[in-house]
Amino acid sequence: MNNLKLFKRQSINELSTFYSFLIGFVIAIFIGSIILLVQDKNPIDTFSLMLRLSVGSINSLSSSLNKAIPLILAGLGISIMNSVKLWNIGAEGQIFLGAIAVNYLYINTQFNSPTLHIFVLLIAGFAGGSLCILIPAITKVVFGVNEIITTLLTNYIVFGITIFLINGPWKDPKSLNFPAAAYVGEEVFLPTIFGKLSLGFLICILFTALAHYLKNKSVFGFEMRIAGGSALTAVYAGINARQKAFIAMLIGGGFAGLAGAIELLSQTHRVSTGISQGFGYTAIIVAAITGMRPLGIFLVGCLFGALSIGGSVIQTIGVSAYISDIIQASTLFGALIIQFFFTYQIKKVEND
Amino acid sequence: MKQYILEAKNISKSFGNVRALEDVNFYLEKGIIHGLLGENGAGKSSLMNVLSGIYQPEKGSIFVNNIKQTNLNPEYASELGIGMVHQEFRLIESFSIQDNLTLSKSNIYRDDFKNAFEKYSEIFSLSVNPEKTISELSVGEKQKIEIMKLIFNNSSIMLLDEPTAVLTPQETDQLKNSLKRLSEEDEKTIVLISHKLKEIREFTETVFVMKNGEMVAENLLTENVTDNNLIELMMGHIKKSVIDKSNKVGDAKLNIKSVEYVDKVNNYKLLDNINFEIKAGEILGIAGVSGNGQVELANIISGIQVDYSGEIFINGQDVSGKGVKSRKKLNLSYIPENRLGVGLAPGVSILDNSIVKDYFKTRRGPHLSKTKTKTYLENLINTFSIKAPDSKAEISTLSGGNMQKLLMGRELISKPEVIIASQPTRGLDVNAVEAIHNLLVDQRDGGSAILLISEDLDELFKLSNRLLVMYEGKIVKSFDINNADINNVGLAMAGVIE
Amino acid sequence: MIDIQLIGLFNATLQAATLLFIAALGELITEKSGILNLGVEGMISVGAVTGFMTAVNTENIFLAVLVGVLSSSAFASIHALVTVVLKQDQTVSGLILTILGLALSSLLGKNYVGKKLVTKLEGVTSVTDPSSILEVLISQNIIFYLAVLLMFITSFVLKHTMFGRRLEAVGEDSRSSDSMGLKVAKTQFIATCVGGAFAGLSGVYLTLSYVPYWTDNMTSGRGWIALALVIFGGWKPYRTALGALLFGFLEALVPRLQTYGFELSPYIVKITPYVITILVLVILTIYKGGKTGAPKNIGVPFFRENR
């Protein structure tokens, strides 16, 4: 008699994450198609429309890539924190606080050089993101409070602060129905580099390289990996694990904060609830699906940016924009399921 | 033909490329205590894990009461009356004794717990309240509960994997009597795993011997077989080399002066007035049952634990107030007892793990040179003949022996002045043990001062120049190896000092 | 009339607390088995929207509750499949469950935004405008009493039944439990689905009674508060209930503050529960010295042959 039994594989294919992603994406498209069919929409027509409207022209391609910027930056922040085995569920809040910090600095300072002004505002965004994660970082390294819950809760706190600001102190009297702060001046708009593509995309490339270097090529990255692998080994090696975790968290928050700054200076041009449309959450999918690899985050970020644009434009033909959320989440679920088969092996067992 | 209560035929099991069991036969008679003898890594535990349904063998068949079992898992095995005591405790620490004894579905004393607990407490000479949580118990008490659990779960076949390893000689004696009573009064079939000849001789009626994943002797009558016979079966033709101890000894490299360490929560002295020195070219052995302060001592010398009192000198320099890094810079190496988890970081690559000691030497500012680290690892692999095909793979993909060689190599390659080696050969096969011993002796000959902490008396006698015995945080006895007698050391380990 | 206002506040507190408590209790059961499910927010949404859709279409309130509970439980089984059977990362899976749940519920509920319920979940007695504490207590809907009952049952089952002890054993030490012959995977699978069912019940309470309509993201972070409540309650049902009352009180207080003459911005008051949760978590962690009562094996996938 033969039995099927589960065995752990001794070595895992190096490209397993990539294959899992591909198959997961196919599964997700399949699920998306079923949902479209249920709604009496032709999946092929819908998807080709999505494709055309997201990458079919220079304009749409640059919107897609603009959309990718916050996903990539926040995703990179999540991936850096993951080196010390910490989760950042608070990217959404960090994006908002990044934008708030930019607006605060914009209101309260004067600069003669617009280039310097933009530069300082971008730094303010990064600092805002770091500030947002400061409390979770302190409570984590000093008291050991679970960072998943605290980073998540800060999202709601920052969102509350945003609503308070745009309805109260920063409320733009010209914006009647939609609560928002006043627009920032055109002198601090981020320039575009190609079509509608903002300079933010170059920053994004730069930060992808930076994150890649930090994680994979630097002493700090090594120390983070050891600290994340085993706190005891870190102590044994003379590595201050708490310090590494703290710095990683501030950097992680900063990346997301920078995303908020770029959104404000290149897309919305004012603080409103529209600064982020769930980018901080989607970034978690982007980071997790790539096995936390910066270069992968860049590519998948671009793909998901296009999906979001595609999703929002097909609303016009009566398809819910949530279809792209569902495709993104299903891709990751599909990838997780496929990853199982790369990690484990089902074998027949001879009993005789 | 004899009737066997359990029979395993042609069992094979491997983990990746490592063959743990090769065509093994094993059979048990009802009501008898069987010994299973073998060196660390011979495959004894793997065989027991197969019999209790935890590991799935690739090949072979198992019969219980002459019925073939095709789908053995832990739940079904316990229904069949097969129970196992593992080397690490399988008790739920936060639960009470009673909960632990009654959770299993095959439990038979749930309704009559009180009487049964009293009866077996007497057999095991145990006097604790069953309401107590496991975490409050001593190691010896936990071991008794662990074995009692099998009885409560109606196990007629009890597989005990080195149950005496954590016990004092006195507790071991008690256990012997308890097991004898269980086999006689309750007709329990018992397998006792050990690598100690004395125990096999005292406890068992028949003995099986394993070596390198194979069963090399089956069902020998214990009283008819000689010690030499068993040793030969167990070790094969590998002769244990005798270490020459006439090498030159130099100046003191490590001085420990009145070190004390107090567990602040329970206000209990974990280390009490520890004094010793080790000279260049000398191996100082520390004997003792684990949990008598050895881990704390090693951690304090290496700089991991800092809130102690007393003085520590490395090469004449006072490092008492210094941390791990500055002690490392004085070329101190520490091979911790906990290989994976302290010495090596699980989930991290082999490459990363290989540079944990010296990474600050391969850095250039913030940059960690990939080529330098790779050369470093290759050097380790070649020098210490480590089998590590993929440097990017996780450390846990290596076998125990290769893991330890990597760890030792990493710590030894820089020709350290002082080495602390804690249980360096635990769980390794004969050849790996031999290799590790040679590494330590090479270092000794190179002029290192070595502190060897071990529970394995053979190892200590083989390697050490001098021997200290630790008991309850104190050094209770010291021996020059030439005048040391294994019985006296054993007594001192149990706290008996004449 | 300050009295009427106070009674109104009490009533609103109970209702807000019920919503949070049921979801938290479900998560507590799941976590006790060693599975962390961060998908509570998504599961509540799925339960809320499917319950609401059923109620609108069939006008059968009992069927609506049942559909909400079952669909949420089925939704949770995705998490069980991915983490228990396929042994993948629980944090990732749970987060995606939230994102997927929110997206799925928005998609499903697209045509139900703005629809009115003909029959909503009414109180068990005819009192509609309670004027005393007692009347508040006897005028809740059936789910409230069910929640109270579930609290007692859960506590009893966990402490005094073999099933409960085994569930807890699995979450504390899956390896030891496995060697005792307990079914680790089955227990965790069941506990995850039960957690989903409870979240579904919380969801239908939301759309069939608490705010009887459907809009996108109407769970507004309650799932996450429920997760925090489990920690707050130290994985104990009664203390979790106490925490739910505290948070329910804050939620109920916010819209009433101005009537009491406080000049605080309602937007700022709205964030106090979240600030308090963080504070409480910090205080608990300091006070307990790290021993928060969390199941030891939480978040660790179990594979028998791992060495």
Side-chain angles (χ1 to χ4, degrees):
Chain A
M1 200 187 127
N2 287 322
N3 282 308
L4 294 176
K5 296 285 179 199
L6 198 58
F7 295 92
K8 202 164 192 168
R9 285 180 199 270
Q10 226 47 37
S11 61
I12 298 167
N13 191 320
E14 255 182 66
L15 290 173
S16 67
T17 324
F18 177 66
Y19 295 139
S20 301
F21 164 72
L22 278 190
I23 302 172
F25 191 63
V26 172
I27 294 174
I29 294 291
F30 181 72
I31 292 174
S33 306
I34 292 175
I35 292 174
L36 288 172
L37 282 173
V38 169
Q39 296 185 327
D40 281 334
K41 297 279 187 297
N42 182 334
I44 296 171
D45 290 353
T46 315
F47 283 130
S48 52
L49 184 68
M50 272 175 84
L51 196 66
R52 194 146 40 84
L53 294 178
S54 59
V55 296
S57 67
I58 288 181
N59 252 348
S60 56
L61 182 64
S62 48
S63 322
S64 291
L65 294 182
N66 280 336
K67 203 71 155 188
I69 296 170
L71 299 182
I72 294 168
L73 283 173
L76 293 172
I78 290 163
S79 119
I80 287 170
M81 270 178 64
N82 187 264
S83 297
V84 255
K85 294 279 161 353
L86 292 175
W87 279 99
N88 180 13
I89 317 297
E92 185 79 357
Q94 290 144 21
I95 292 172
F96 273 105
L97 205 61
I100 288 172
V102 170
N103 200 45
Y104 177 82
L105 203 71
Y106 175 79
I107 295 171
N108 290 294
T109 52
Q110 291 286 328
F111 281 89
N112 292 326
S113 147
T115 319
L116 182 67
H117 201 176
I118 290 176
F119 186 69
V120 169
L121 291 180
L122 289 174
I123 291 174
F126 192 96
S130 296
L131 181 71
C132 183
I133 206 171
L134 189 62
I135 302 273
I138 291 172
T139 54
K140 177 74 198 181
V141 300
V142 180
F143 307 116
V145 180
N146 183 325
E147 82 287 352
I148 294 180
I149 302 285
T150 49
T151 52
L152 185 278
L153 290 174
T154 51
N155 287 345
Y156 290 95
I157 295 173
V158 172
F159 196 69
I161 293 172
T162 311
I163 305 254
F164 164 71
L165 288 172
I166 58 180
N167 281 288
W170 285 357
K171 187 171 170 43
D172 182 8
K174 279 176 269 174
S175 173
L176 296 172
N177 298 322
F178 184 66
Y183 284 101
V184 294
E186 269 183 47
E187 76 279 6
V188 293
F189 284 14
L190 270 187
T192 55
I193 48 172
F194 178 73
K196 283 195 287 181
L197 185 62
S198 111
L199 180 72
F201 195 70
L202 279 186
I203 300 176
C204 206
I205 293 174
L206 187 71
F207 272 72
T208 305
L210 188 69
H212 177 72
Y213 179 80
L214 203 61
K215 274 179 71 104
N216 300 323
K217 311 254 179 214
S218 76
V219 174
F220 182 69
F222 164 78
E223 290 173 330
M224 285 200 295
R225 284 195 296 282
I226 297 292
S230 160
L232 291 171
T233 308
V235 176
Y236 165 84
I239 294 167
N240 188 339
R242 289 174 177 218
Q243 183 205 51
K244 306 300 161 205
F246 189 73
I247 296 174
M249 288 182 89
L250 293 193
I251 295 177
F255 271 58
L258 182 63
I262 293 174
E263 274 302 291
L264 174 67
L265 298 180
S266 70
Q267 302 300 317
T268 64
H269 302 305
R270 60 175 176 173
V271 174
S272 72
T273 53
I275 285 285
S276 174
Q277 297 126 40
F279 299 144
Y281 298 107
T282 311
I284 298 169
I285 304 187
V286 173
I289 218 166
T290 60
M292 302 288 170
R293 291 178 182 82
L295 304 179
I297 290 171
F298 182 81
L299 295 175
V300 175
C302 291
L303 175 73
F304 277 20
L307 257 178
S308 299
I309 290 291
S312 56
V313 288
I314 56 166
Q315 280 184 95
T316 46
I317 60 159
V319 178
S320 167
Y322 285 101
I323 193 87
S324 57
D325 277 19
I326 288 175
I327 289 175
Q328 288 164 358
S330 309
T331 307
L332 184 44
F333 265 130
L336 285 177
I337 292 168
I338 301 304
Q339 191 64 40
F340 167 79
F341 294 99
F342 280 108
T343 331
Y344 295 91
Q345 195 171 13
I346 300 168
K347 270 200 263 185
K348 268 187 187 172
V349 178
E350 305 163 37
N351 277 110
D352 281 311
Chain B
M1 221 191 118
K2 265 186 188 165
Q3 282 296 304
Y4 295 114
I5 185 166
L6 180 145
E7 214 179 342
K9 289 180 181 167
N10 311 104
I11 303 287
S12 293
K13 167 78 187 169
S14 50
F15 294 97
N17 314 323
V18 185
R19 254 275 183 253
L21 296 173
E22 179 87 60
D23 221 11
V24 166
N25 291 316
F26 191 59
Y27 36 91
L28 303 173
E29 284 171 58
K30 191 176 163 84
I32 278 186
I33 306 184
H34 306 72
L36 179 55
L37 184 68
E39 284 275 284
N40 283 325
K44 297 168 301 204
S45 302
S46 297
L47 178 60
M48 293 302 106
N49 276 312
V50 166
L51 295 183
S52 56
I54 291 173
Y55 291 170
Q56 296 301 327
E58 284 100 33
K59 250 188 73 197
S61 40
I62 296 167
F63 297 81
V64 179
N65 291 319
N66 288 324
I67 298 162
K68 188 172 170 180
Q69 306 302 330
T70 51
N71 198 14
L72 208 58
N73 56 41
E75 194 197 6
Y76 190 52
S78 79
E79 271 173 41
L80 288 169
I82 304 171
M84 175 169 175
V85 168
H86 296 260
Q87 282 184 36
E88 333 80 58
F89 293 121
R90 297 285 163 89
L91 296 167
I92 294 156
E93 288 275 324
S94 57
F95 278 31
S96 70
I97 294 175
Q98 179 164 3
D99 271 346
N100 270 283
L101 290 176
T102 54
L103 274 174
S104 171
K105 285 193 177 129
S106 40
N107 189 282
I108 45 169
Y109 292 126
R110 196 167 297 133
D111 302 323
D112 195 21
F113 179 79
K114 215 173 150 247
N115 286 330
F117 188 72
E118 264 174 31
K119 177 184 165 195
Y120 288 103
S121 287
E122 193 262 315
I123 290 183
F124 282 98
S125 354
L126 182 76
S127 53
V128 288
N129 184 338
E131 303 286 311
K132 254 193 172 178
T133 51
I134 297 293
S135 53
E136 296 172 70
L137 302 182
S138 75
V139 176
E141 287 168 334
K142 282 183 191 171
Q143 189 63 286
K144 288 172 182 175
I145 297 295
E146 192 66 274
I147 299 170
M148 223 192 254
K149 199 174 76 188
L150 303 189
I151 298 162
F152 276 69
N153 294 347
N154 201 19
S155 302
S156 49
I157 302 168
M158 300 167 61
L159 314 174
L160 312 180
D161 193 354
E162 305 212 16
T164 59
V166 294
L167 301 182
T168 63
Q170 283 68 21
E171 286 172 325
T172 306
D173 263 356
Q174 281 180 1
L175 180 66
K176 179 177 71 190
N177 297 328
S178 322
L179 294 183
K180 286 242 153 89
R181 281 185 67 181
L182 288 173
S183 74
E184 281 158 21
E185 291 170 21
D186 291 5
E187 283 213 290
K188 298 287 186 197
T189 308
I190 297 172
V191 177
L192 179 91
I193 292 191
S194 181
H195 53 255
K196 295 175 188 156
L197 286 182
K198 185 167 159 266
E199 283 172 10
I200 293 290
R201 206 155 274 300
E202 288 178 355
F203 280 65
T204 69
E205 288 180 54
T206 72
V207 60
F208 289 76
V209 187
M210 289 190 77
K211 192 188 138 227
N212 291 339
E214 290 175 42
M215 193 62 84
V216 290
E218 295 173 11
N219 217 19
L220 308 172
L221 279 181
T222 313
E223 46 183 25
N224 293 346
V225 60
T226 65
D227 278 2
N228 285 340
N229 236 334
L230 285 177
I231 287 196
E232 224 178 274
L233 284 168
M234 191 162 96
M235 316 251 186
H237 53 270
I238 298 172
K239 261 250 171 263
K240 272 204 174 173
S241 48
V242 178
I243 306 288
D244 175 24
K245 290 176 185 163
S246 62
N247 64 313
K248 243 180 74 193
V249 170
D251 297 336
K253 293 270 185 186
L254 177 70
N255 287 65
I256 307 292
K257 289 184 180 160
S258 33
V259 163
E260 268 188 32
Y261 179 62
V262 180
D263 172 1
K264 302 226 162 47
V265 182
N266 301 315
N267 200 21
Y268 174 79
K269 273 188 188 168
L270 289 169
L271 288 176
D272 191 358
N273 194 26
I274 305 284
N275 291 286
F276 60 80
E277 61 166 40
I278 312 177
K279 298 195 172 81
E282 192 183 30
I283 298 182
L284 175 69
I286 292 211
V289 178
S290 64
N292 277 294
Q294 297 97 317
V295 176
E296 289 78 8
L297 179 64
N299 282 345
I300 282 172
I301 299 174
S302 64
I304 290 175
Q305 218 128 30
V306 285
D307 44 347
Y308 62 94
S309 65
E311 290 173 304
I312 295 172
F313 296 86
I314 296 173
N315 241 346
Q317 284 202 44
D318 186 355
V319 294
S320 312
K322 302 272 171 59
V324 174
K325 268 195 177 158
S326 43
R327 294 184 195 198
K328 271 189 179 171
K329 285 196 177 128
L330 290 169
N331 220 343
L332 168 111
S333 277
Y334 176 27
I335 296 135
E337 169 179 344
N338 199 339
R339 201 170 298 153
L340 192 62
V342 177
L344 303 165
V348 177
S349 72
I350 294 169
L351 187 65
D352 280 342
N353 268 301
S354 73
I355 57 166
V356 160
K357 178 160 191 278
D358 285 333
Y359 73 91
F360 46 84
K361 289 182 189 163
T362 54
R363 71 187 293 175
R364 197 183 296 130
H367 184 68
L368 193 67
S369 160
K370 263 260 156 72
T371 40
K372 269 192 189 173
T373 54
K374 275 194 177 142
T375 330
Y376 187 86
L377 175 60
E378 271 161 31
N379 186 19
L380 283 186
I381 288 177
N382 295 333
T383 316
F384 299 96
S385 41
I386 302 163
K387 278 191 203 119
D390 181 7
S391 69
K392 273 186 278 179
E394 275 184 22
I395 187 74
S396 50
T397 57
L398 294 186
S399 71
N402 281 312
M403 251 188 236
Q404 186 69 343
K405 277 199 247 171
L406 182 81
L407 173 57
M408 299 271 298
R410 185 186 82 196
E411 295 300 316
L412 301 183
I413 195 135
S414 57
K415 300 272 173 243
E417 304 267 345
V418 178
I419 301 165
I420 310 159
S422 190
Q423 317 286 3
T425 59
R426 186 187 270 172
L428 302 183
D429 65 47
V430 192
N431 292 321
V433 170
E434 201 60 26
I436 302 280
H437 284 172
N438 290 338
L439 285 178
L440 285 172
V441 173
D442 284 351
Q443 293 295 320
R444 181 201 70 178
D445 293 344
S448 300
I450 302 174
L451 180 69
L452 173 65
I453 298 172
S454 178
E455 277 185 291
D456 183 345
L457 284 181
D458 293 338
E459 175 170 278
L460 288 168
F461 273 81
K462 179 181 166 192
L463 297 176
S464 315
N465 300 79
R466 286 186 294 133
L467 202 56
L468 304 178
V469 180
M470 274 187 87
Y471 179 73
E472 294 193 335
K474 294 192 193 71
I475 291 173
V476 289
K477 198 104 173 120
S478 79
F479 298 89
D480 187 279
I481 205 68
N482 300 316
N483 312 325
D485 164 77
I486 204 154
N487 283 331
N488 285 337
V489 175
L491 284 170
M493 281 168 68
V496 185
I497 299 132
E498 70 280 10
Chain C
M1 278 287 284
I2 192 82
D3 272 351
I4 292 294
Q5 280 180 354
L6 273 181
I7 282 160
L9 178 64
F10 179 61
N11 195 12
T13 299
L14 279 191
Q15 293 178 359
T18 306
L19 183 54
L20 294 170
F21 176 67
I22 303 172
L25 193 63
E27 179 65 13
L28 184 150
I29 294 169
T30 306
E31 289 190 13
K32 274 281 184 193
S33 79
I35 298 292
L36 175 69
N37 188 352
L38 297 180
V40 185
E41 182 88 353
M43 298 189 299
I44 298 179
S45 287
V46 168
V49 78
T50 51
F52 187 79
M53 286 160 66
T54 314
V56 168
N57 289 327
T58 66
E59 293 180 18
N60 181 339
I61 204 80
F62 174 76
L63 188 68
V65 172
L66 196 68
V67 167
V69 168
L70 290 182
S71 57
S72 181
S73 183
F75 188 60
S77 72
I78 300 178
H79 185 65
L81 172 77
V82 171
T83 63
V84 178
V85 182
L86 304 181
K87 304 170 210 310
Q88 299 297 308
D89 191 285
Q90 296 175 13
T91 311
V92 175
S93 172
L95 283 170
I96 307 317
L97 203 67
T98 285
I99 294 173
L100 187 63
L102 290 174
L104 208 59
S105 57
S106 300
L107 191 78
L108 288 172
K110 198 178 59 158
N111 299 328
Y112 292 83
V113 176
K115 286 218 171 135
K116 279 208 91 126
L117 271 184
V118 182
T119 50
K120 63 175 238 173
L121 210 52
E122 301 292 351
V124 288
T125 51
S126 53
V127 183
T128 48
D129 217 2
S131 57
S132 71
I133 298 283
L134 183 72
E135 279 185 13
V136 169
L137 285 173
I138 59 164
S139 65
Q140 301 300 314
N141 69 38
I142 185 76
I143 295 181
F144 169 80
Y145 303 105
L146 193 59
V148 176
L149 192 66
L150 284 172
M151 171 178 75
F152 290 119
I153 293 175
T154 306
S155 177
F156 179 82
V157 167
L158 285 177
K159 266 197 218 134
H160 300 295
T161 67
M162 282 322 286
F163 175 77
R165 298 311 290 158
R166 286 181 182 139
L167 181 104
E168 210 174 318
V170 165
E172 279 292 317
D173 186 342
S174 46
R175 184 171 291 276
S176 294
S177 304
D178 181 60
S179 74
M180 289 177 190
L182 307 187
K183 289 181 172 166
V184 176
K186 190 177 157 191
T187 310
Q188 294 183 328
F189 204 104
I190 292 173
T192 307
C193 292
V194 170
F198 279 47
L201 191 62
S202 170
V204 292
Y205 186 85
L206 178 65
T207 44
L208 301 185
S209 161
Y210 194 68
V211 272
Y213 56 81
W214 170 256
T215 63
D216 281 0
N217 295 330
M218 66 183 292
T219 41
S220 57
R222 289 190 181 89
W224 295 106
I225 297 268
L227 273 161
L229 276 177
V230 180
I231 302 177
F232 179 93
W235 287 264
K236 293 188 173 70
Y238 298 129
R239 261 174 49 191
T240 305
L242 213 65
L245 282 172
L246 173 68
F247 282 92
F249 173 72
L250 287 171
E251 188 176 330
L253 191 64
V254 170
R256 290 174 170 77
L257 267 182
Q258 267 164 340
T259 55
Y260 293 138
F262 285 95
E263 285 300 319
L264 268 168
S265 157
Y267 305 111
I268 293 300
V269 179
K270 238 180 171 159
I271 65 177
T272 48
Y274 307 104
V275 177
I276 287 175
T277 312
I278 293 180
L279 278 177
V280 167
L281 288 181
V282 173
I283 291 165
L284 272 182
T285 323
I286 299 171
Y287 176 68
K288 293 263 192 148
K291 282 186 193 158
T292 48
K296 276 205 199 64
N297 259 113
I298 195 158
V300 185
F302 175 66
F303 178 56
R304 187 179 286 151
E305 296 206 12
N306 269 351
R307 294 194 292 178

